[in-house]
Amino acid sequence: MTIKITALPKEKCNTCPEEFSFGVTFSDHMFIQNFDQDKGWIDANIGPYRPLSLDPSAAVFHYSQEIFEGLKAYRNANGGINLFRPEENIKRFNRSAKRMVMPEVDENLHLEAIKALVQLDQAWVPDQEGASLYIRPTMIATSPKLGLGASSTYDHFIITGPAGSYFSGGLTPISVFVADKYRRAVKGGVGEAKTGGNYAASLFASEEVSKLGYSQVLWLDAVEGKFIEEVGAMNICFVYEGKKIVTPMLSGSILPGVTRDSILKLAPSLGYEVSEQQLDIEEILADIDSGKITEVFGCGTAAVISPVGKLGFKEVDHTINDCQTGPVSKHLYDELTGIQYGTREDKFGWIHKV
Ligand code: PLP
Ligand code: COI
């Protein structure tokens, strides 16, 4: 891998709060390599963050052959930098690649590229509480052809940028609308791959619910419209009587979140019971209304742990914990971010130091 340092570093401001809204500021460098059917992956390099030059007929623009990932680098208590379970994101990247008929990448090279990039742009890793460097690995199909079929050339690139809370209120509960008219993904489709088309397909419903004052959509299964799947940018968990955490089982149409998996492993060590189940929306709403469900929260890399204060379904709002952040969400948030920022023991071996 060759590394070229930009001659024109951007001016950055580590103290401006607006810098830390999510996904709008990008660091100085990027990793890129290209794939050619005859040569395989070639020209791995890190250079200045820059625009890509692509043919307008490039396959990605027409048929959405694209995948991406999201992970974070955290400034730890000693001033060093932690990556959280990057190998899980790399494995998921290659699973998504396979599903989208794209070439897999070398896992070691991908991890080395992330580490080298973060090391080079380490000044961009924020040290403010709750902020981190968001890392976005991506692969796009670049063959200039309109005939429908897998591309024969690809770009694999990684960009990074300082990021704060995904939702503007931080740990303040968000309101979520349960989609009754639209569906996100179906079993046998690409719902469990992290591919851009899943997100493009969700935008119409997101716009509709945002006009009604909700910030996210909760998707139901596409066949019966009965079972809970996931939220637009995160998986979802329900807390029963402050003790048991229940989340939809992986159905093949939802994203197997790294944060979801981390909670399923971390929560039992903190005394909670966990369960992955098929969850019927009507039963869940009844359990919210009766008070059996004491908290609801979403979980994801960008979203971290986001309490849900209100679930809207068919014109009725179901309020959870008086729209306040509950003790279980706060406990899990503190423990998970504690491991990520290095203030809690890394008892599962999840941290890679840069
Ligand atoms: N579900 C969707 C649709 C997502 O976009 C995300 C975020 O990446 C998640 C779930 C949570 O996944 P992870 O915890 O790996 O970030
Ligand atoms: C992430 O959490 O990393 C994601 O990719 C979700 C995205 C919609 C911001």
Side-chain angles (χ1 to χ4, degrees):
M1 190 184 338
T2 57
I3 298 183
K4 187 170 172 235
I5 296 170
T6 182
L8 297 167
K10 290 181 209 153
E11 216 175 282
K12 64 182 179 300
C13 172
N14 252 349
T15 50
C16 306
E18 64 273 18
E19 289 274 344
F20 295 122
S21 43
F22 177 85
V24 290
T25 307
F26 299 97
S27 325
D28 281 334
H29 295 91
M30 65 186 284
F31 165 86
I32 190 162
Q33 62 174 342
N34 318 108
F35 181 88
D36 175 293
Q37 230 164 22
D38 301 325
K39 299 184 191 136
W41 286 111
I42 50 168
D43 296 338
N45 72 87
I46 290 175
Y49 178 94
R50 60 199 179 279
L52 299 174
S53 172
L54 291 176
D55 197 299
S57 60
V60 62
F61 295 136
H62 304 276
Y63 306 122
S64 299
Q65 206 190 357
E66 186 268 2
I67 58 166
F68 70 97
E69 263 308 324
L71 65 157
K72 284 174 171 172
Y74 306 83
R75 177 75 65 191
N76 69 33
N78 307 321
I81 299 169
N82 291 347
L83 293 173
F84 182 71
R85 305 188 76 187
E87 66 282 2
E88 296 304 318
N89 296 88
I90 297 170
K91 282 190 220 145
R92 189 171 64 189
F93 193 68
N94 273 340
R95 289 200 303 275
S96 299
K98 219 167 166 182
R99 182 62 182 84
M100 300 305 289
V101 204
M102 302 171 91
E104 291 175 49
V105 297
D106 182 283
E107 290 186 10
N108 293 327
L109 177 100
H110 189 109
L111 180 59
E112 282 318 304
I114 290 173
K115 286 187 173 169
L117 189 57
V118 172
Q119 176 90 46
L120 185 61
D121 278 343
Q122 57 182 285
W124 289 82
V125 182
D127 46 21
Q128 282 86 342
E129 202 187 321
S132 56
L133 187 80
Y134 186 74
I135 303 165
R136 173 53 65 89
T138 309
M139 194 194 299
I140 55 171
T142 55
S143 284
K145 62 161 198 179
L146 299 185
L148 181 58
S151 178
S152 49
T153 58
Y154 296 87
D155 284 355
H156 165 213
F157 59 87
I158 306 174
I159 56 175
T160 72
S165 295
Y166 188 68
F167 300 112
S168 51
L171 250 191
T172 310
I174 57 165
S175 54
V176 171
F177 192 85
V178 184
D180 51 350
K181 278 196 286 193
Y182 307 107
R183 304 288 176 237
R184 174 184 178 271
V186 67
K187 283 188 188 52
V190 294
E192 66 181 349
K194 205 157 167 64
T195 180
N198 285 331
Y199 297 80
S202 73
L203 295 178
F204 193 81
S206 301
E207 288 289 306
E208 261 193 20
V209 308
S210 121
K211 284 187 203 128
L212 298 173
Y214 299 87
S215 60
Q216 289 274 299
V217 176
L218 174 64
W219 298 102
L220 300 179
D221 78 278
V223 177
E224 295 180 72
K226 188 172 161 149
F227 300 110
I228 295 176
E229 297 237 301
E230 62 180 327
V231 184
M234 52 194 189
N235 295 113
I236 188 135
C237 296
F238 301 89
V239 181
Y240 276 85
E241 279 146 6
K243 292 195 289 262
K244 182 174 176 184
I245 298 160
V246 178
T247 192
M249 61 193 198
L250 297 178
S251 59
S253 51
I254 70 176
L255 195 79
V258 177
T259 319
R260 172 189 180 281
D261 181 71
S262 306
I263 286 165
L264 288 173
K265 294 189 163 80
L266 176 65
S269 76
L270 302 171
Y272 301 104
E273 202 186 320
V274 294
S275 168
E276 299 170 76
Q277 285 170 222
Q278 194 175 52
L279 300 177
D280 181 319
I281 183 67
E282 296 289 356
E283 286 173 19
I284 287 290
L285 294 176
D287 289 347
I288 289 174
D289 295 343
S290 72
K292 272 197 211 159
I293 290 181
T294 45
E295 291 175 51
V296 179
F297 62 87
C299 57
T301 300
V304 196
I305 285 183
S306 290
V308 175
K310 192 171 81 175
L311 270 183
F313 187 46
K314 296 184 176 163
E315 291 166 17
V316 180
D317 276 339
H318 303 261
T319 302
I320 304 130
N321 195 37
D322 282 334
C323 257
Q324 302 298 311
T325 300
V328 180
S329 312
K330 177 78 174 69
H331 188 194
L332 290 170
Y333 177 91
D334 288 344
E335 294 293 328
L336 181 68
T337 56
I339 295 174
Q340 292 167 333
Y341 288 92
T343 55
R344 296 276 199 284
E345 186 199 346
D346 175 24
K347 53 192 173 193
F348 299 96
W350 283 340
I351 297 300
H352 287 236
K353 293 211 185 306
V354 174

